[in-house]
C-alpha cells in the first residue's frame, strides 16, 4: 500500500511529463509563411475617343511669292438669318494665286465665330494659316479684310443667346427680312490698305495680342464642308486666277458658298467680265453652262444675254424676200 507522500510525488512527476510532452509537440508545429494575394486579372480599357474639335492647322500651304492685294468689292446682302460673313482670300496652287470669293456661311454650331486665314512671311516663304471656327476670334495677321474684319477681332455682329445680331453699320443686311440687328459705329485704328499678308517686305506689321495667343490654344473647328467645296470650285475656275484677271476677279463675292452662278454674285471693281460661252456648253467653273452679262446677272444655259432690240446677240439675219417672176399672158384677151 502506497503512502500519501509517494502518491503526491508520482502525481507531480506525471504533470511534469505531460508539460514536457506538450512543449515538445508545440516545438514541432510548422509556423505558416505569409504570401501576398495574387494580383487581380488584367482588364482592357479602350482608349478615349478623339476630341470633338480638332486644333487649327498652323500652316497649310507655302508660296514663294507674295499674294496680290485684296480686290475691292461690295458685300452681297446676308441671304438668311444666322449666316456669318467669311471674307475672300488668295489661294496658292503652286504656280499662281486664285481668288476664293468671300461668302456668307452657316456656322457649324451656335455661338461660334470665324477667324479668317492669313498669309504670313516666315523663313523666306509665305505660309497660309488656315482659318477656323471657335467661340472667339483669334489672330489673322492684322490683315484688314473689311466688313467687320478690320485686322483685330470682328465688329460685324455678335451672338445674343442662340441668335446672331448683325451690326448694320458694317455688314449688308436687309432689315425687312432679318430683324435681329443693331447699329454701332466701328472705329478703325488699322491703316486701310489692300495688303493681303503679314510680315516680309510690304506686309502688315502686326503681332498677336495676349488674348489672341490664348485663343490660339483653344479647341477649334476647321472650315465646314461647304467652305471646302467653295474653295475647290474657285480653284477650278480659270477666270479667278490672278494671272487671268490681273487681281480683279469677276466673281469677288457670292451670297452662298459655291454659288458662283447665283443671282447676287458681285465682281471686283475694275474686273473684266469674261466673254460668254457658246449656248449649251459649260464654261470653266460653271457646270451648268451659265454665263454672265455685263451687269453681273447670270443667264440660264442655252440662252444668250438680252440685247436692247430683244434679239439674241449674233442672231442671223433673215434673207430678203425675192419678188415672184412676171407672168406672161397666154391669150389675146389677157393682154
Amino acid at each position: 500500500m502506497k503512502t500519501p507522500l509517494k502518491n503526491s510525488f508520482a502525481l507531480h512527476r506525471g504533470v511534469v511529463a505531460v508539460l514536457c510532452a506538450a512543449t515538445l509537440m508545440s516545438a514541432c508545429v510548422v509556423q505558416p509563411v505569409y504570401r501576398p494575394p495574387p494580383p487581380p486579372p488584367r482588364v482592357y480599357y479602350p482608349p478615349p475617343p478623339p476630341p470633338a474639335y480638332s486644333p487649327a492647322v498652323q500652316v497649310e500651304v507655302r508660296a514663294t511669292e507674295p499674294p496680290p492685294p485684296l480686290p475691292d468689292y461690295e458685300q452681297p446682302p446676308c441671304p438668311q438669318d444666322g449666316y456669318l460673313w467669311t471674307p475672300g482670300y488668295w489661294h496658292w496652287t503652286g504656280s499662281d494665286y486664285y481668288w476664293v470669293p468671300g461668302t456668307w456661311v452657316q456656322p457649324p454650331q451656335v455661338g461660334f465665330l470665324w477667324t479668317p486665314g492669313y498669309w504670313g512671311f516666315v523663313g523666306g516663304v509665305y505660309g497660309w494659316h488656315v482659318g477656323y471656327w471657335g467661340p472667339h476670334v483669334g489672330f489673322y495677321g492684322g490683315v484688314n479684310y473689311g466688313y467687320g474684319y478690320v485686322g483685330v477681332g470682328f465688329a460685324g455682329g455678335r451672338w445674343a443667346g442662340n441668335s446672331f445680331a448683325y451690326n448694320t453699320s458694317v455688314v449688308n443686311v436687309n432689315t425687312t427680312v432679318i430683324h435681329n440687328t443693331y447699329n454701332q459705329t466701328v472705329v478703325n485704328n488699322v491703316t486701310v490698305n489692300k495688303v493681303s499678308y503679314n510680315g516680309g517686305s510690304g506686309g502688315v506689321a502686326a503681332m498677336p495680342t495676349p488674348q489672341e495667343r490664348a485663343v490660339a490654344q483653344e479647341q477649334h473647328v476647321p472650315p465646314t464642308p461647304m467652305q471646302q467645296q467653295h474653295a475647290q470650285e474657285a480653284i477650278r475656275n480659270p477666270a479667278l486666277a490672278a494671272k487671268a484677271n490681273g487681281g480683279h476677279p469677276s466673281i469677288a463675292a457670292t451670297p452662298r458658298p459655291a454659288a458662283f452662278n447665283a443671282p447676287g454674285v458681285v465682281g471686283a471693281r475694275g474686273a473684266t467680265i469674261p466673254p460668254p460661252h457658246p449656248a449649251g456648253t459649260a464654261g470653266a467653273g460653271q457646270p451648268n453652262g451659265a454665263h454672265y452679262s455685263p451687269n453681273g446677272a447670270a443667264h440660264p444655259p442655252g440662252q444668250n444675254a438680252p440685247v436692247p432690240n430683244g434679239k439674241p446677240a449674233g442672231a442671223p439675219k433673215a434673207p430678203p424676200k425675192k419678188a415672184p417672176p412676171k407672168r406672161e399672158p397666154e391669150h389675146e384677151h389677157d393682154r
Side-chain angles (χ1 to χ4, degrees):
M1 186 174 180
K2 298 181 179 180
T3 61
L5 181 60
K6 291 182 178 181
N7 292 336
S8 62
F9 180 72
L11 179 61
H12 177 72
R13 290 180 61 184
V15 171
V16 172
V18 171
L19 294 175
C20 291
T23 302
L24 292 174
M25 291 180 66
S26 63
C28 295
V29 175
V30 179
Q31 297 292 331
V33 179
Y34 175 77
R35 290 184 176 86
R42 299 181 63 181
V43 180
Y44 173 75
Y45 294 97
Y53 309 129
S54 58
V57 179
Q58 291 300 314
V59 176
E60 185 183 63
V61 181
R62 289 178 173 84
T64 56
E65 58 186 76
L70 297 172
D72 189 12
Y73 60 92
E74 296 293 335
Q75 184 186 50
C78 181
Q80 187 176 337
D81 192 6
Y83 276 59
L84 272 64
W85 176 251
T86 58
Y89 61 92
W90 291 104
H91 180 83
W92 176 254
T93 61
S95 59
D96 193 11
Y97 280 100
Y98 275 65
W99 177 251
V100 179
T103 189
W104 291 94
V105 176
Q106 192 172 19
Q109 72 178 59
V110 173
F112 271 21
L113 299 170
W114 175 247
T115 296
Y118 71 96
W119 288 99
F121 183 80
V122 177
V125 296
Y126 298 87
W128 173 251
H129 299 252
V130 67
Y132 56 85
W133 294 96
H136 305 96
V137 177
F139 181 69
Y140 50 93
V143 177
N144 188 347
Y145 288 105
Y147 302 113
Y149 298 98
V150 295
V152 178
F154 177 60
R158 55 176 179 251
W159 286 99
N162 294 331
S163 300
F164 189 81
Y166 300 87
N167 186 0
T168 55
S169 69
V170 177
V171 295
N172 187 3
V173 175
N174 186 351
T175 55
T176 60
V177 178
I178 299 175
H179 306 288
N180 195 15
T181 62
Y182 65 97
N183 191 300
Q184 182 179 349
T185 303
V186 177
V187 179
N188 188 2
N189 295 324
V190 181
T191 302
V192 178
N193 53 40
K194 297 300 178 181
V195 177
S196 60
Y197 61 95
N198 175 277
S201 177
V204 178
M207 296 294 291
T209 64
Q211 294 79 8
E212 290 172 331
R213 293 182 185 275
V215 171
Q217 303 303 319
E218 297 177 343
Q219 297 291 337
H220 303 137
V221 173
T224 65
M226 288 303 300
Q227 288 178 282
Q228 298 176 23
Q229 179 184 352
H230 182 75
Q232 293 168 1
E233 291 289 339
I235 296 172
R236 288 196 291 262
N237 191 331
L240 295 180
K243 292 179 180 178
N245 56 49
H248 305 283
S250 57
I251 306 175
T254 65
R256 295 178 186 269
F260 293 175
N261 300 325
V265 171
V266 298
R269 291 185 176 90
T272 301
I273 304 299
H277 296 276
T281 61
Q286 300 177 14
N288 60 359
H291 56 268
Y292 294 90
S293 64
N295 62 3
H299 300 284
Q303 296 183 10
N304 293 319
V307 292
N309 60 5
K311 296 181 180 180
K317 297 182 180 180
K321 295 182 180 181
K322 295 181 179 180
K326 186 176 180 181
R327 181 185 175 191
E328 294 293 336
E330 296 180 359
H331 302 284
E332 186 67 23
H333 63 271
D334 291 335
R335 295 180 183 274

